[in-house]
Amino acid sequence: MAQLAQLAQLAQLALLALLALGALSAARAAEPLENDSEPGKGGTAEKPWKATPDLEELDLDTAGRGAEWTSWFNIDHPGGDGDHESLEAIRFYYGDRVCARPVAIQARSTEWELPAALGQVVHASPKRGFRCLHREQPPGKACANYHVRFLCPLEHIYWSHWSSWSPCSRSACGTRGTQSRTRRCRSARSQSPLKELKCQGKASERRPCSAGPCPEPTWTEWGAWGPCSRSCGSAGKRVRRRSCKPARNPPCPGRATEVQKCPPAPCPGCPGLTLQGTVVTAAGLALPDARVYLEGRPPLLLARSDAQGRFTASGLCLGPAANLSAHRDGFAPGLAPIATDGSGVAVAHLRLRRLEKPYMVLHPAAKVREAGQDVTFCCKAAGTPAPQKYYWYHNGTLLQGKAQRSSGRLALRGLAPEQAGTYHCKASSEAGAIRSAPAQLTVLAQGQQSCRAEPEPSLVELPSECPQDASGSRYYNVGRCPASPCPGGPAEPSGCGEEAGRCCGVRRMELRQVPCAGSLLPVKVVAECGCGPCAQPRVLVQGRVTAADTGEPLRFGHIFLGGKQVGFTGYQGSFTIEVPPDTQRLVTRFVDGQQRLVDAVKVLPFNRRGGAVYQEVKMLRKKEPVELDGGRSNAIPLGEAGGRQPVGELVLPAGAFLRPSGEVFNGTVKASVTFVDPRDMGTASAASSDLSFANADGEIVPLRTYGMFAVDFREGDSGAALQAGPVQVRMDAGQVWMPEHLQKMKLWSLNPESGLWEEEGVLRPAGGGRRKREERTFLVGNLEIRERRLFNLDVPEDRRCFVKVRAYSNEKFNPYEQLEGVVISLINLEPQPGFPSNPRAWGRFDSVVTGANGACLPAFCDGQRPDAYTALVTATLGGEELEAVASSPKLNPNAVGVAQPYLGKLGYRRSDHEDPALKKTAFQINVAKPDPNNVDESNGPVYSYRSLRECEEAPVSANHLRFYRVEVDKYEYNVVPFKESDVTSWTGDYLAWWPNPQEFRACFIKVQLEGPQEYMVRSRNVGGSHPRTRGQLYGLRDSRSVRDALLDNTSGACVEFKCGGMLFDQSLVDRTLVSIVPQGSCRRTAINGLLRDYLSRHPPLADNNHTGAFSMLAPLDPLGHNYGIYTVTDQNPRLAKEIAIGRCFAGTSDGFSREMRAAEGTAVTFSCQERPPGRESFFQRLLTAPAEALAEIRREMGSSELRRAPPEVMDFASGARAPGPTPTRRTPSSQRRPGRLRGQP
């Protein structure tokens, strides 16, 4: 026992010496360094040493047998940059003479002196060893030669020292609590994390504690007297206060305040100022009838503004910091200071902003957390005035608490499982309220996985030459990782808009070989999923803006998001908008700088998962202005075009036209009133917004319109813009066939920043005084036109449902071939004749982008009569219209996707149902609300408005309506699977077809085929020049040729190939080796001369000796139609391919066509003939026996010198060189049709 005690004392002394040594080192070294070199004198790479455990923690007495020092080690001498005695090097030379986990280190010089005594800066750690660097020593000194030893426990398990006592659990005086201290069980050996250490004794101790008795409460000294309540005139009052310390029960005896009168003082003489000022709008237009107040308690009404927005008030006695406020119905109050210059006249100018309902600019985002973690939701609303009150709801229930009512942030600490669910906020101001979109909070139990390591099934179609499996399928499971959110870590930021989040994604892929026609087809499959940073793809909306009547493009038009201009349209009306993060509703305004077209406010759909969505935007042309006499009363009809009876009229009394200054204009007025008539379905695509408004509860709900109109009033001579004072909007009540709509009809105006309609007034039945010629009853409303807005005659509609629609890549309707990124649009049409509804109005129109599970579109519906409401549905992908399922001559429920008898109730009809000459790209249904008591109607495709989640999560086997893509036969195979409609499915791999998920470059080659049929053409794409991919397959592309309507026995094929360029690591380029092989007995007859010259100038050259194919190393330059190569770069792969195919069909570099022009812009030409019976084509031999086909190519390559023909003509029948053109061969120039590219074999 005495020996153990002595060892413990030695250990304590060594530890104290080491602590002193460490303190000195910390004081001398500004940045301690760490040596990560090999054993011995390492290199110069140095990093900060990691912090070592506090050696005072170690209580070696608890180890049972204490500890002992090792022998001294000295493996280095202070040469080079210093003396290095690293633990790793000592173990390298001395093996196990040092224990696995030393608990202390001691260093002395060879003169037996401590570093502190020598005044040297050193670094020591029992985990890393010892180091002394010359450059860190005081000037003129160098490191001494040190040797070190380590303290090792004789037993590996021991307690740490007790920690300090924790603060008392009760800090209030007069209370008793507890405090605790802890210690940890340690091991000197490397311990498995699954093996628990067990030390004898307790790991924690507790003891009672107290904060002491409380002092008796006493008053503080009285404070100074406050100011008098009146500065002059009658007597006032003043107050002084004191406080009780400490504030607790029982309270101090007596009062906390004292009040006394202050004597009156005479007021100085007031000069009696005259106040003058103006009240204008945010645009600087005069604002009449505004109430002007002198701010105070209470505010004092001084004046009202006149027609020019001016006001005057006299005899005022103003303080040094007086302010004015102005108030007017429909505007937010304005505040301005009063300026005086000592002349007896004070001036104030007030600017009022139009009252705007709140709208959301930041919605809360879905979150995943583990129980016990924290989470923060954020929302933000804009409007005039800015909302100041926010309310948070959990599963529709209002959360109580001041923090939940005053902030756009909701912080939840220490989450429990019952706090999972949906959260949304509501912002309110005096103008109204708005609700955010709901956000889902998922709370996982401790250790629960949100991302399973095992991938979900995902099937890709193998090439046609591959054998089917036992079930007769040619699909192969490559797996996928669902892009579901993962729990955030403890270090994740809790601010608004600061977190990128973590998502489930691919962690590991495997390369497999699939037997296919005598060879092995490589395919990469997802082997493991895991959590990682969420992908942040760019979200874009692209499109074209044109006039609705002529198709004329909007050239260099202005584009606004909210109130901010973000760009211009191109010369052809094209535009690209990058969607800001966290956007839920993309409201975009297009403005014609030449003022020929009416401003268009569109709610554009976009794909939140990334990529670009294409949208055609139509703008109405302004109606030709008519000349009016401003000094007389005028009436302008609304909706009289096409011989129809007007919906109503706009009545402008004499003197209604005003200049911006407020001055009445009585001269000649040029008035243009453009009306969007819902009785004309052709105008629906040009209508602005999506016919939505925010109700009193802040929920966005739809409207049903009876017409929209935009006005433009200008002076006849100068063309200066004019306003209009109070005018009347008179609507013919005979146009409203639903009696309840007569009571709910309102006037609305469109807020161009939020895209929501805001109420302007109510239309009421007109009173007496009707003119004799008027036999109609009118609904009349009053309106002021002080800014360029679109106005609306609308009725709120509350009978709503959702319609489920899916889009497919072909007519097979395979669940694995659904298309994402398709824009589905639904317009609520007039009801069927005979129903006592309203056939003269259409309602809200919505566009939704399909996701992995289709799309759900809102629509009006009725549960009493199936034909009460109808809807017209269309679908587009990259500007291409998709086709709906046919309804005639016989309706096929299996093809439509809806079972009987519900399908009959919906009355499904494709647009060509009665006229086959019409397009097949739309269908119309009765939106029959499902009967909850009818099992046949409980499985879609129409869902009640409260069943949105059920609609969104409906399985593909449930009833749904369908569109499909009509195109020539094609097939695509990628070794690394990628869904072009989901950019987040991209995987970084050398064999990925698309090397960059932010930018997609599509390349096509145009092939002309002369023969009686249409032929399949394949491109085989393998690595060409990159050392990591040379000879490895990227993918296959098959495309069927399309006949040229103008050329006999000629067709053309636009075949995609993998572009040359950088691979995903962006380090080296690869020129893909592309082989073009047509089906059938085809022989190459011509190669585009410019393409051949380009390839020869950019070696190496691919062998092109086999006449049944064409090979090249893909060009790195975007060549164009003169070469027969078509290249388009875009942020959306599908859109890039669509544009490239359109140019390839047209044979131009900037055109677009869906009609094949086979002789224009061709790269290579093949002549195809009917093969003899029983003889396989080279294409078929490549599919069935690729090894033999490739051997044939090699044989031809080996004898290429004997077979090579002159540049002009090759005799393919014999393989011998021909002296010149033969009668059986096509000769250049004279026998070629105009426009065909000349080429050489």
Side-chain angles (χ1 to χ4, degrees):
M1 291 299 294
Q3 184 180 3
L4 287 176
Q6 185 178 4
L7 285 173
Q9 289 178 357
L10 286 173
Q12 296 287 347
L13 289 174
L15 294 177
L16 291 175
L18 181 58
L19 287 175
L21 173 65
L24 179 61
S25 300
R28 296 277 184 100
E31 183 180 359
L33 299 176
E34 173 187 301
N35 185 359
D36 285 338
S37 59
E38 296 298 322
K41 291 184 180 181
T44 58
E46 296 163 354
K47 302 177 183 178
W49 240 341
K50 298 177 183 177
T52 60
D54 186 357
L55 299 181
E56 287 288 353
E57 287 184 0
L58 307 179
D59 187 4
L60 298 179
D61 290 336
T62 62
R65 293 172 51 199
E68 67 179 6
W69 289 99
T70 65
S71 58
W72 292 93
F73 303 104
N74 187 356
I75 63 170
D76 190 23
H77 296 275
D81 63 344
D83 189 12
H84 299 266
E85 308 290 341
S86 71
L87 179 59
E88 183 180 6
I90 292 172
R91 284 204 176 102
F92 179 79
Y93 290 112
Y94 293 99
D96 57 357
R97 290 178 59 181
V98 180
C99 58
R101 298 179 67 181
V103 296
I105 183 174
Q106 193 177 55
R108 291 181 180 270
S109 70
T110 53
E111 302 298 329
W112 211 248
E113 294 187 79
L114 293 172
L118 296 175
Q120 293 192 348
V121 179
V122 297
H123 307 272
S125 165
K127 291 185 177 180
R128 307 301 298 272
F130 173 89
R131 182 180 57 181
C132 177
L133 300 178
H134 293 321
R135 66 172 180 272
E136 295 181 347
Q137 309 312 316
K141 288 190 177 183
C143 292
N145 187 9
Y146 288 95
H147 53 194
V148 298
R149 66 176 181 174
F150 299 89
L151 185 65
C152 292
L154 296 179
E155 285 187 355
H156 73 280
I157 297 178
Y158 53 90
W159 286 108
S160 68
H161 272 297
W162 287 106
S163 66
S164 301
W165 288 104
S166 66
C168 194
S169 61
R170 297 292 183 89
S171 58
C173 61
T175 60
R176 293 183 62 83
T178 59
Q179 58 183 167
S180 61
R181 65 176 184 174
T182 59
R183 58 180 180 175
R184 289 178 293 174
C185 191
R186 292 295 193 88
S187 172
R189 298 177 184 172
S190 298
Q191 195 74 15
S192 169
L194 300 178
K195 187 174 181 180
E196 183 181 1
L197 296 175
K198 294 184 179 181
C199 297
Q200 293 184 356
K202 295 182 178 180
S204 62
E205 286 184 349
R206 301 176 67 185
R207 69 180 183 184
C209 57
S210 172
C214 294
E216 292 296 326
T218 58
W219 288 110
T220 61
E221 296 293 329
W222 284 104
W225 287 103
C228 193
S229 61
R230 293 184 178 273
S231 58
C232 64
S234 59
K237 296 179 181 180
R238 60 181 182 176
V239 180
R240 69 174 183 175
R241 293 178 172 83
R242 61 178 179 175
S243 59
C244 183
K245 298 287 185 170
R248 59 179 294 274
N249 288 325
C252 300
R255 292 182 298 176
T257 60
E258 281 187 351
V259 180
Q260 71 173 198
K261 291 183 179 181
C262 45
C267 292
C270 182
L273 292 175
T274 299
L275 176 64
Q276 297 177 351
T278 58
V279 183
V280 297
T281 66
L285 307 177
L287 200 57
D289 202 32
R291 304 179 300 278
V292 181
Y293 291 87
L294 178 64
E295 285 293 287
R297 295 186 179 180
L300 176 64
L301 178 62
L302 298 180
R304 289 179 179 267
S305 59
D306 60 15
Q308 284 75 44
R310 297 190 290 261
F311 63 87
T312 302
S314 302
L316 298 179
C317 188
L318 302 175
N323 291 316
L324 285 185
S325 65
H327 302 255
R328 192 182 189 276
D329 293 342
F331 290 83
L335 190 68
I338 300 174
T340 59
D341 56 5
S343 64
V345 177
V347 179
H349 299 285
L350 296 111
R351 189 177 294 268
L352 303 188
R353 294 183 61 191
R354 182 188 179 95
L355 205 64
E356 293 181 345
K357 284 195 170 185
Y359 58 95
M360 280 291 164
V361 295
L362 176 64
H363 294 259
K367 302 289 180 72
V368 177
R369 293 290 187 271
E370 288 186 356
Q373 289 186 330
D374 302 338
V375 71
T376 300
F377 289 106
C378 304
C379 76
K380 184 180 179 181
T384 306
Q388 298 298 324
K389 293 182 179 179
Y390 288 85
Y391 304 89
W392 284 94
Y393 296 79
H394 175 219
N395 292 334
T397 302
L398 177 65
L399 296 177
Q400 301 297 326
K402 183 177 180 181
Q404 281 72 37
R405 296 194 299 269
S406 59
S407 171
R409 295 165 59 99
L410 174 65
L412 304 175
R413 309 297 182 192
L415 288 171
E418 58 269 18
Q419 290 178 281
T422 59
Y423 288 82
H424 76 269
C425 79
K426 182 170 73 172
S428 65
S429 69
E430 61 185 87
I434 188 69
R435 290 173 57 181
S436 72
Q440 184 71 27
L441 173 62
T442 303
V443 180
L444 304 175
Q446 293 287 344
Q448 181 181 353
Q449 296 294 324
S450 62
C451 177
R452 296 180 57 190
E454 182 181 357
E456 294 182 351
S458 178
L459 303 184
V460 297
E461 185 180 4
L462 297 177
S464 57
E465 62 269 22
C466 295
Q468 299 178 351
D469 59 15
S471 62
S473 172
R474 197 176 284 115
Y475 285 85
Y476 192 83
N477 182 15
V478 297
R480 63 180 290 270
C481 299
S484 55
C486 292
E492 187 171 285
S494 59
C496 296
E498 298 176 6
E499 55 181 300
R502 290 167 53 80
C503 296
C504 188
V506 177
R507 177 167 290 176
R508 183 169 57 88
M509 298 190 76
E510 291 179 354
L511 179 65
R512 296 180 184 173
Q513 304 287 343
V514 179
C516 195
S519 64
L520 295 177
L521 181 72
V523 58
K524 287 211 168 184
V525 301
V526 178
E528 182 182 0
C529 300
C531 290
C534 293
Q536 299 293 325
R538 296 178 66 192
V539 181
L540 302 171
V541 174
Q542 297 177 326
R544 190 164 176 258
V545 187
T546 57
D549 53 353
T550 64
E552 173 190 1
L554 174 66
R555 294 190 170 100
F556 312 116
H558 305 272
I559 305 175
F560 292 85
L561 290 184
K564 180 181 179 182
Q565 183 170 348
V566 295
F568 299 88
T569 59
Y571 183 77
Q572 295 295 334
S574 60
F575 67 89
T576 298
I577 299 172
E578 184 161 0
V579 182
D582 302 317
T583 300
Q584 292 281 337
R585 201 163 176 268
L586 183 64
V587 180
T588 311
R589 179 162 56 107
F590 299 92
V591 178
D592 179 13
Q594 301 181 20
Q595 297 298 311
R596 298 169 305 162
L597 304 175
V598 178
D599 295 356
V601 178
K602 297 290 185 178
V603 180
L604 298 178
F606 59 92
N607 190 350
R608 292 182 175 87
R609 303 180 71 176
V613 171
Y614 187 85
Q615 189 77 5
E616 288 281 352
V617 177
K618 302 295 184 182
M619 295 181 70
L620 284 174
R621 188 174 301 279
K622 282 187 177 180
K623 191 173 181 181
E624 287 297 323
V626 295
E627 292 190 350
L628 304 176
D629 184 352
R632 302 178 60 183
S633 180
N634 298 277
I636 301 176
L638 302 174
E640 83 288 359
R644 290 185 291 265
Q645 192 176 24
V647 172
E649 61 184 6
L650 188 64
V651 179
L652 301 110
F657 297 105
L658 306 171
R659 287 185 167 131
S661 63
E663 177 187 356
V664 176
F665 180 77
N666 290 320
T668 301
V669 177
K670 289 188 175 180
S672 172
V673 178
T674 306
F675 188 73
V676 181
D677 196 334
R679 296 172 296 182
D680 180 7
M681 278 305 302
T683 63
S685 61
S688 279
S689 182
D690 57 357
L691 281 177
S692 300
F693 77 103
N695 62 13
D697 194 41
E699 184 181 4
I700 295 180
V701 292
L703 293 168
R704 179 174 286 274
T705 184
Y706 284 81
M708 308 176 189
F709 60 94
V711 299
D712 186 22
F713 301 136
R714 297 186 178 271
E715 294 185 21
D717 296 330
S718 66
L722 295 172
Q723 307 174 56
V727 300
Q728 274 192 350
V729 178
R730 297 161 60 85
M731 182 178 179
D732 184 2
Q735 300 292 332
V736 183
W737 288 14
M738 295 183 72
E740 62 269 26
H741 280 189
L742 293 173
Q743 310 300 322
K744 298 190 294 185
M745 190 71 63
K746 295 181 180 180
L747 273 170
W748 307 77
S749 68
L750 180 62
N751 184 335
E753 295 189 12
S754 66
L756 297 174
W757 293 89
E758 299 178 355
E759 185 178 334
E760 290 283 343
V762 179
L763 291 173
R764 303 188 183 282
R770 192 170 55 186
R771 291 173 285 183
K772 291 184 178 179
R773 68 178 181 85
E774 292 178 350
E775 298 180 355
R776 296 174 291 169
T777 301
F778 281 89
L779 302 175
V780 179
N782 295 317
L783 182 69
E784 284 188 349
I785 304 174
R786 296 191 177 274
E787 55 183 321
R788 259 180 30 197
R789 278 201 173 195
L790 189 65
F791 299 97
N792 202 349
L793 306 167
D794 273 22
V795 172
E797 185 61 80
D798 55 5
R799 285 171 282 190
R800 292 170 285 165
C801 289
F802 285 97
V803 179
K804 184 75 172 190
V805 182
R806 299 179 189 269
Y808 294 86
S809 60
N810 52 56
E811 269 187 292
K812 298 177 182 177
F813 304 121
N814 191 312
Y816 296 104
E817 294 180 326
Q818 292 191 64
L819 294 176
E820 299 182 41
V822 177
V823 180
I824 310 290
S825 299
L826 183 148
I827 303 175
N828 293 275
L829 292 178
E830 58 189 49
Q832 296 284 351
F835 184 70
S837 181
N838 170 40
R840 300 170 181 264
W842 33 252
R844 168 173 167 165
F845 31 91
D846 283 89
S847 294
V848 178
V849 178
T850 58
N853 200 34
C856 294
L857 293 100
F860 299 147
C861 60
D862 191 89
Q864 303 300 320
R865 285 286 302 269
D867 58 354
Y869 293 94
T870 61
L872 180 72
V873 187
T874 60
T876 60
L877 177 63
E880 172 195 356
E881 294 179 306
L882 273 63
E883 192 164 302
V885 179
S887 59
S888 63
K890 184 178 180 180
L891 190 64
N892 184 354
N894 293 329
V896 176
V898 182
Q900 294 285 20
Y902 198 15
L903 180 60
K905 188 175 181 180
L906 296 178
Y908 177 91
R909 296 160 65 91
R910 195 168 70 175
S911 48
D912 66 336
H913 184 81
E914 296 178 348
D915 186 356
L918 295 178
K919 282 185 172 184
K920 306 174 183 179
T921 55
F923 65 80
Q924 184 173 325
I925 61 169
N926 302 325
V927 191
K929 187 175 182 179
D931 183 357
N933 299 318
N934 188 339
V935 68
D936 293 329
E937 301 179 10
S938 62
N939 198 29
V942 181
Y943 296 82
S944 65
Y945 189 72
R946 300 300 176 188
S947 302
L948 174 59
R949 187 169 182 178
E950 181 182 346
C951 176
E952 292 177 336
E953 298 177 355
V956 71
S957 58
N959 288 338
H960 60 274
L961 298 161
R962 295 169 172 170
F963 285 94
Y964 62 93
R965 195 174 186 186
V966 180
E967 57 183 13
V968 297
D969 293 340
K970 73 168 191 176
Y971 170 74
E972 298 179 355
Y973 174 75
N974 297 325
V975 171
V976 180
F978 172 64
K979 292 184 68 175
E980 294 177 351
S981 57
D982 180 9
V983 180
T984 60
S985 67
W986 181 85
T987 304
D989 193 284
Y990 282 99
L991 295 179
W993 185 274
W994 306 98
N996 185 354
Q998 301 292 339
E999 190 173 71
F1000 298 89
R1001 187 179 178 206
C1003 296
F1004 283 78
I1005 183 171
K1006 189 169 184 177
V1007 182
Q1008 180 180 343
L1009 299 109
E1010 298 171 341
Q1013 301 180 9
E1014 294 178 343
Y1015 303 90
M1016 290 295 293
V1017 182
R1018 165 169 290 186
S1019 77
R1020 180 180 177 85
N1021 303 266
V1022 300
S1025 59
H1026 196 288
R1028 292 290 296 268
T1029 62
R1030 187 179 294 118
Q1032 297 186 59
L1033 183 67
Y1034 289 116
L1036 306 173
R1037 296 292 188 269
D1038 293 346
S1039 181
R1040 184 175 295 279
S1041 64
V1042 178
R1043 290 188 180 277
D1044 189 324
L1046 302 179
L1047 300 176
D1048 294 334
N1049 293 329
T1050 302
S1051 61
C1054 294
V1055 187
E1056 184 185 7
F1057 64 90
K1058 187 183 184 306
C1059 305
M1062 291 285 187
L1063 299 186
F1064 88 100
D1065 61 357
Q1066 299 294 304
S1067 61
L1068 292 174
V1069 299
D1070 182 36
R1071 293 185 62 187
T1072 311
L1073 177 57
V1074 182
S1075 299
I1076 304 296
V1077 184
Q1079 180 189 27
S1081 299
C1082 298
R1083 296 286 178 178
R1084 188 180 71 247
T1085 58
I1087 301 175
N1088 183 298
L1090 292 177
L1091 177 60
R1092 185 191 62 245
D1093 292 343
Y1094 174 88
L1095 296 175
S1096 64
R1097 293 196 310 271
H1098 296 79
L1101 291 174
D1103 292 308
N1104 266 309
N1105 297 302
H1106 194 287
T1107 58
F1110 169 72
S1111 298
M1112 68 174 180
L1113 288 172
L1116 299 178
D1117 302 306
L1119 298 181
H1121 71 285
N1122 290 328
Y1123 299 79
I1125 303 295
Y1126 301 86
T1127 304
V1128 173
T1129 301
D1130 195 88
Q1131 285 76 20
N1132 185 316
R1134 288 189 180 278
L1135 192 57
K1137 292 163 71 169
E1138 288 299 318
I1139 297 173
I1141 290 174
R1143 293 176 180 178
C1144 181
F1145 267 60
T1148 64
S1149 293
D1150 55 0
F1152 190 90
S1153 175
R1154 284 296 177 190
E1155 296 182 0
M1156 174 58 72
R1157 300 171 187 170
E1160 304 291 335
T1162 301
V1164 60
T1165 302
F1166 289 89
S1167 177
C1168 303
Q1169 300 177 354
E1170 292 297 320
R1171 65 181 181 276
R1175 179 181 176 184
E1176 288 185 326
S1177 69
F1178 176 72
F1179 183 87
Q1180 290 175 324
R1181 294 201 303 278
L1182 188 64
L1183 299 183
T1184 58
E1188 290 79 356
L1190 294 174
E1192 180 183 347
I1193 293 178
R1194 286 193 291 270
R1195 286 195 301 272
E1196 292 198 14
M1197 290 169 57
S1199 58
S1200 60
E1201 294 299 324
L1202 299 176
R1203 295 188 175 190
R1204 186 168 300 166
E1208 290 79 13
V1209 177
M1210 176 179 284
D1211 184 354
F1212 291 105
S1214 64
R1217 182 171 302 189
T1222 64
T1224 60
R1225 293 287 305 143
R1226 180 191 301 275
T1227 57
S1229 68
S1230 62
Q1231 293 187 12
R1232 294 187 181 275
R1233 294 182 176 91
R1236 176 168 296 163
L1237 291 175
R1238 299 184 181 184
Q1240 298 170 344

